[in-house]
Amino acid sequence: MMDKYEYQYMYLQGLKKNLQARGYIASKYFRKDEIDNIIVDSLKYFCKEFEKWVINNIKNFNDILNVIGCYSGLKSDVDSKRMILEEELTDFLHTCRYILAISPFLKLDYTAARYTSATNMFFPELLTLTYLIQLYNQYRCINSLCPQDIIVADFTSSYLSLDYSDSSYMDLLSQSKLKGQELLATNLVDYDLGLRFGETLKATFGKAAESLLAFMQGPDPIYDLNQMSFSDFIAITNGTHPNPTKFIQDDETQYIPFDMSKGVLRYLNDPFITQLILFEKDTDLLSVIINPMKQEHRTRFKPIIELNCNGKKVYYTTRYLIFETFSELASNQLPFHGLPEPWKKHKAIKKLADEAHKKVSDEFEDLIASNLEGHYTFFRNITFIDNVDLCKTEVCDNGIK
């Protein structure tokens, strides 16, 4: 079996031939617009190769269930800091997510040859493609952020090579990641917002939302009595223990793929449930990669996955996938009016979104102001500049209003 470097070489050779067939005949390219086209065409090539491999190899229904469960368990471990996030693990998690993103398109059955087992989830070719997708997408982001020509595409060797024209850009990239982590401002996160969001959804959508959120929350916690003293037990029972969660057993049920078909079919036209289903028509791996905040194509926003098995549509998820979605919607979408359009039409949800937006905006402005105070002169609440209304003036991004 080839190692990852041999796979990279193979795919980069194939990429060069593909791009040359599409008219890239110069030995080197430098201009921003040309580089951007090369990168996007490269990502299209990698995505097609990824899809081709999955279609040819993931045919047994249980293989997809293994991917769903494996992603849910590993991602939860990373989120809870029980596992260190390393490059290989990052690539593996992205690989699982990409497989799930296109899984509604697959034609599965119960008797096809198995590719995975509960103890074997190794995808060497896909891991290589995932690495290349992540690398080229990073080039694309940096190319779009820098006003000058900074990336060189070199076709002179037997494969396509991309590199920065100035090595100092790698240092700038590292610095930007650190600054990005600082700007996350985790101390401003309103952890009560998720509870209010859930209650608002239940009050707005009724039984459908109540059933799904109850499933997400799962059974009552199970305590490991062997790990606690009698005084701990009494304090937990009385509700006075300072840290009762330290005695809770791991809830493995949150990673188990669950057949939601009966419930989904009951609410298939429900405006709440339908926004959470990844249908076959939603599969678009390229969009998942280059438009990560676009909700239509990602399990991060659509955790109930439509699968085709023996000609029948079934709907699967895990409690973790649903939890991931509602955490994303409450923390990162609700305060910025990023919820699904059918949800935002309801007054109670719009009111909660407006309140969350104002709270986050005000506190983030205060955070920025506290860093500027004493160093720079700055102004707040500016609505006009040179008689131009900043609230109404159209903004264009690559020619799109």
Side-chain angles (χ1 to χ4, degrees), residues 26 28 40 51 54 83 110 144 173-174 191 210 216 270 288-289 334 350 355 357 379 395:
K28 291 186 180 182
V40 171
E51 291 168 346
V54 173
M83 188 174 289
Y110 297 104
S144 66
L173 177 62
S174 299
Y191 292 101
E210 291 172 7
M216 177 188 76
D270 182 88
V288 169
I289 291 157
L334 178 65
K350 185 179 184 307
E355 291 172 357
H357 179 73
F379 303 91
V395 176

Side-chain angles (χ1 to χ4, degrees), residues 59-63 107-114 309-310:
K59 296 181 178 182
N60 189 291
F61 183 72
N62 289 296
D63 284 335
K107 305 304 180 216
L108 305 162
D109 67 44
Y110 297 104
T111 59
R114 292 292 301 275
C309 188
N310 294 114

Side-chain angles (χ1 to χ4, degrees), residues 265-315:
L265 292 173
R266 187 183 309 146
Y267 296 107
L268 201 53
N269 296 315
D270 182 88
F272 173 74
I273 292 293
T274 52
Q275 295 303 310
L276 300 171
I277 301 174
L278 187 73
F279 292 104
E280 182 176 349
K281 64 180 177 60
D282 299 321
T283 54
D284 187 341
L285 184 56
L286 184 67
S287 181
V288 169
I289 291 157
I290 66 176
N291 299 303
M293 297 313 294
K294 194 171 183 179
Q295 297 178 7
E296 287 88 338
H297 312 300
R298 299 188 64 199
T299 55
R300 190 174 186 86
F301 301 102
K302 293 178 175 288
I304 302 171
I305 305 171
E306 180 183 79
L307 298 171
N308 293 290
C309 188
N310 294 114
K312 180 183 177 182
K313 294 186 186 303
V314 291
Y315 301 86

Side-chain angles (χ1 to χ4, degrees), residues 320-334:
Y320 173 78
L321 281 175
I322 295 175
F323 169 79
E324 183 182 53
T325 293
F326 281 101
S327 297
E328 172 71 25
L329 291 174
S331 300
N332 296 330
Q333 300 299 313
L334 178 65

Side-chain angles (χ1 to χ4, degrees), residues 76-145:
S76 177
D77 282 344
V78 171
D79 288 349
S80 62
K81 306 291 191 297
R82 286 197 295 267
M83 188 174 289
I84 299 172
L85 197 62
E86 298 174 347
E87 184 177 316
E88 292 287 339
L89 179 59
T90 302
D91 287 344
F92 183 74
L93 286 172
H94 279 297
T95 298
C96 289
R97 189 184 283 284
Y98 295 164
I99 293 173
L100 297 184
I102 61 175
S103 60
F105 182 75
L106 304 179
K107 305 304 180 216
L108 305 162
D109 67 44
Y110 297 104
T111 59
R114 292 292 301 275
Y115 193 88
T116 72
S117 70
T119 57
N120 179 17
M121 291 286 291
F122 188 49
F123 305 119
E125 289 187 60
L126 289 188
L127 282 169
T128 302
L129 282 166
T130 299
Y131 167 77
L132 291 170
I133 286 170
Q134 295 293 309
L135 177 65
Y136 274 61
N137 210 23
Q138 177 176 289
Y139 282 129
R140 187 180 69 90
C141 293
I142 299 302
N143 190 54
S144 66
L145 289 172

Side-chain angles (χ1 to χ4, degrees), residues 12 15-16 18-20 22-46 132 136-137 139-140 143 151-155 159-163 286 290:
L12 290 173
L15 172 62
K16 177 184 174 180
N18 180 272
L19 291 177
Q20 287 178 326
R22 294 174 62 84
Y24 295 96
I25 57 175
S27 58
K28 291 186 180 182
Y29 291 86
F30 303 90
R31 278 180 22 207
K32 272 176 63 70
D33 57 339
E34 293 176 329
I35 294 295
D36 198 54
N37 290 334
I38 288 172
I39 292 173
V40 171
D41 284 343
S42 299
L43 288 172
K44 289 178 182 177
Y45 172 80
F46 293 143
L132 291 170
Y136 274 61
N137 210 23
Y139 282 129
R140 187 180 69 90
N143 190 54
I151 297 175
V152 180
D154 188 343
F155 284 81
Y159 61 92
L160 171 63
S161 173
L162 289 187
D163 205 353
L286 184 67
I290 66 176

